[in-house]
Amino acid sequence: MIDLNLLTYMNDEVRRTPTQFHRYMYSRIPWEDRMIGLVGPRGVGKSTMVKQYMMKQPDYDKWLYISADHTYFTTHTLEEVARQWVMEGGRHIIIDEIHKYPGWSRELKQIYDSLSTLQTIFTGSSVLDIHKGVADLSRRVLMFSMQGLSFREYLSMTHGIDFPVYSLNEIINHRVEVPLDFHPLPLFREYLQKGYYPFSSLPGYDIRLQQIMAQTIEVDIPQYAGMNVATSRKLRRLLSVLSQSAPYKPNMSNLCVELSVSKNDLPDYLVYLEMAGMIGQLRDDTGGFRGLGKVEKIYIDNPNLMIALGSDKANVGNIRETFFYNQMRVKNDLVSSKITDFRIGDTIFEVGGAKKGKKQLAGNPNGVVVRDDIEYGAGEIVPLWTFGLNY
């Protein structure tokens, strides 16, 4: 019989799970697949979403939710629990925090191969370790990655203001329908400060955000990369340096000198921070992870992190670029532009304030000026906040 402690843990977790709001990934996942993995940075709501799905199922009594970091698994294995659950008639198992269980990918492979009637859904906050282990699950698992709240999601979740998802084409062609009594700019400022993570409505948002950064830099990355304490301090220093000048145009030699690290190690540190959701690297049109030779700019991952790292010193122009980069990368192939700030397909984008001019477009018919501090746009002028409605 499944241990009573595990069942009690599941019931406690379910009772605390909010049900009013679903993240953008909820409708994208083919929930019927035999093995599904959901990864992403810490704190973006992965655990909540999988519990929400479980709670809505008509065969709820056939579902088991467990966390891989439960003390029960100091003396028992995931495979033991999965096998016992099948013997008791269970058909679905959700394993949260999978990366905290040693040898997790090997056991998931065994569960998949030997328990053909069991569906397995797992989540992991440490994107680094998850990607490393998924290779063992080739052709068995469908992997999905989830980011933080879009501005659209934030409006719905915290203020009950519902917008549909707009495509990039609809946004730049002014097809966003704005209610007459809706004034987005105060709420947009609020979102930039504390709207990217779903726990924004809880007290101590800044403290929670600092804890996420500390856990990622001091535990997740060092655990994955086998770093010592001194090296993890260099990661924190690297993040601090980047935050002071993000978007940062890479100068590897200067960074190496400032951090006292080798040119061989620095590219790895940047990739670790990127995969863990701390920074983003804007690449040229070759796309993909092609190495630092192709990186044009380095951003702090999202405006909330940027403000938390830089406090009141965060430059408003940099925050605008960071927002655009953060929101557009989810559904678009976003690359650097030689003329303006960004390019998506054949369209180039220049991001600025309410008085941002068209000079950088240089007469390009596919150029867009993305302006902050305006509610509506016209022609090639598009409000910055509307790009937060893309997912």
Side-chain angles (χ1 to χ4, degrees):
M1 181 176 179
I2 293 295
D3 189 275
L4 183 60
N5 289 325
L6 292 180
L7 296 177
T8 301
Y9 173 81
M10 178 178 74
N11 291 329
D12 288 344
E13 285 290 310
V14 167
R15 280 199 299 268
R16 291 197 295 264
T17 300
T19 58
Q20 299 87 349
F21 176 79
H22 291 162
R23 291 298 319 279
Y24 75 101
M25 285 298 300
Y26 190 94
S27 60
R28 293 189 183 186
I29 294 177
W31 293 101
E32 69 282 356
D33 199 79
R34 267 194 66 198
M35 182 170 283
I36 297 168
L38 180 64
V39 301
R42 287 181 173 272
V44 297
K46 302 179 298 296
S47 303
T48 296
M49 190 177 74
V50 295
K51 285 183 285 185
Q52 286 174 335
Y53 180 78
M54 177 184 75
M55 293 164 65
K56 291 186 65 176
Q57 300 315 300
D59 61 343
Y60 174 76
D61 60 329
K62 305 294 184 184
W63 287 75
L64 177 66
Y65 170 86
I66 59 177
S67 179
D69 66 346
H70 195 285
T71 55
Y72 182 81
F73 293 107
T74 59
T75 55
H76 298 80
T77 68
L78 291 175
E79 187 181 13
E80 286 175 19
V81 172
R83 194 170 297 279
Q84 183 64 42
W85 184 236
V86 170
M87 290 173 59
E88 295 180 19
R91 301 298 299 271
H92 316 270
I93 186 169
I94 294 175
I95 307 172
D96 207 359
E97 301 283 2
I98 190 72
H99 61 281
K100 294 184 178 179
Y101 183 92
W104 61 268
S105 58
R106 181 181 65 254
E107 284 204 34
L108 285 186
K109 181 179 178 181
Q110 293 170 351
I111 290 171
Y112 184 95
D113 292 343
S114 62
L115 302 174
S116 60
T117 62
L118 183 69
Q119 181 196 31
T120 304
I121 300 173
F122 64 89
T123 75
S125 294
S126 176
V127 182
L128 300 160
D129 197 47
I130 290 292
H131 282 292
K132 185 178 180 180
V134 161
D136 296 334
L137 298 170
S138 59
R139 301 187 304 277
R140 292 173 177 83
V141 61
L142 288 180
M143 291 297 300
F144 298 89
S145 180
M146 188 164 80
Q147 301 299 319
L149 294 175
S150 66
F151 181 48
R152 183 193 71 84
E153 289 182 296
Y154 177 73
L155 290 174
S156 178
M157 180 179 178
T158 62
H159 296 284
I161 301 171
D162 294 323
F163 277 88
V165 173
Y166 285 97
S167 69
L168 177 61
N169 184 64
E170 289 172 326
I171 292 171
I172 63 179
N173 285 288
H174 309 288
R175 293 175 188 162
V176 173
E177 297 183 9
V178 183
L180 291 177
D181 58 347
F182 177 67
H183 298 287
L185 298 183
L187 298 178
F188 184 54
R189 302 281 165 262
E190 187 178 278
Y191 169 82
L192 295 176
Q193 289 279 341
K194 59 171 191 175
Y196 187 67
Y197 297 90
F199 52 83
S200 61
S201 60
L202 298 178
Y205 182 78
D206 292 341
I207 296 174
R208 295 173 192 271
L209 194 51
Q210 292 291 341
Q211 290 172 340
I212 283 178
M213 288 190 285
Q215 189 76 6
T216 301
I217 293 173
E218 297 170 9
V219 178
D220 291 347
I221 296 176
Q223 182 178 358
Y224 164 79
M227 294 177 174
N228 56 34
V229 175
T231 307
S232 68
R233 287 176 183 153
K234 290 181 180 180
L235 280 179
R236 178 176 283 279
R237 174 61 181 154
L238 173 58
L239 189 62
S240 175
V241 169
L242 294 175
S243 70
Q244 293 169 15
S245 55
Y248 180 89
K249 294 186 178 181
N251 186 317
M252 296 301 105
S253 297
N254 289 351
L255 271 180
C256 288
V257 171
E258 184 161 0
L259 299 170
S260 299
V261 299
S262 74
K263 289 185 177 180
N264 292 330
D265 289 336
L266 184 58
D268 289 339
Y269 293 173
L270 291 171
V271 170
Y272 296 158
L273 288 172
E274 181 176 31
M275 295 180 70
M278 293 289 101
I279 67 170
Q281 300 189 76
L282 181 69
R283 294 167 170 81
D284 66 12
D285 57 9
T286 59
F289 285 81
R290 300 294 182 91
L292 279 176
K294 300 298 181 181
V295 173
E296 297 295 332
K297 289 182 182 179
I298 301 174
Y299 290 86
I300 299 302
D301 183 78
N302 61 78
N304 290 190
L305 275 181
M306 191 173 187
I307 292 171
L309 287 164
S311 186
D312 57 347
K313 298 178 182 178
N315 179 278
V316 64
N318 296 343
I319 291 174
R320 290 164 180 156
E321 276 194 48
T322 300
F323 169 79
F324 185 91
Y325 166 81
N326 172 271
Q327 300 283 285
M328 288 294 97
R329 67 180 178 181
V330 173
K331 294 178 64 177
N332 306 279
D333 185 13
L334 183 70
V335 297
S336 64
S337 167
K338 296 179 180 179
I339 304 173
T340 58
D341 293 320
F342 304 98
R343 182 166 66 80
I344 300 174
D346 293 328
T347 306
I348 57 175
F349 299 85
E350 182 68 19
V351 180
K355 297 181 179 180
K356 187 67 178 181
K358 307 174 186 179
K359 182 173 64 174
Q360 282 88 348
L361 302 184
N364 192 307
N366 294 319
V368 173
V369 176
V370 181
R371 284 185 183 173
D372 194 8
D373 300 319
I374 62 172
E375 291 188 344
Y376 304 94
E380 63 266 57
I381 309 297
V382 182
L384 176 62
W385 70 268
T386 59
F387 291 89
L389 307 177
N390 193 223
Y391 73 92

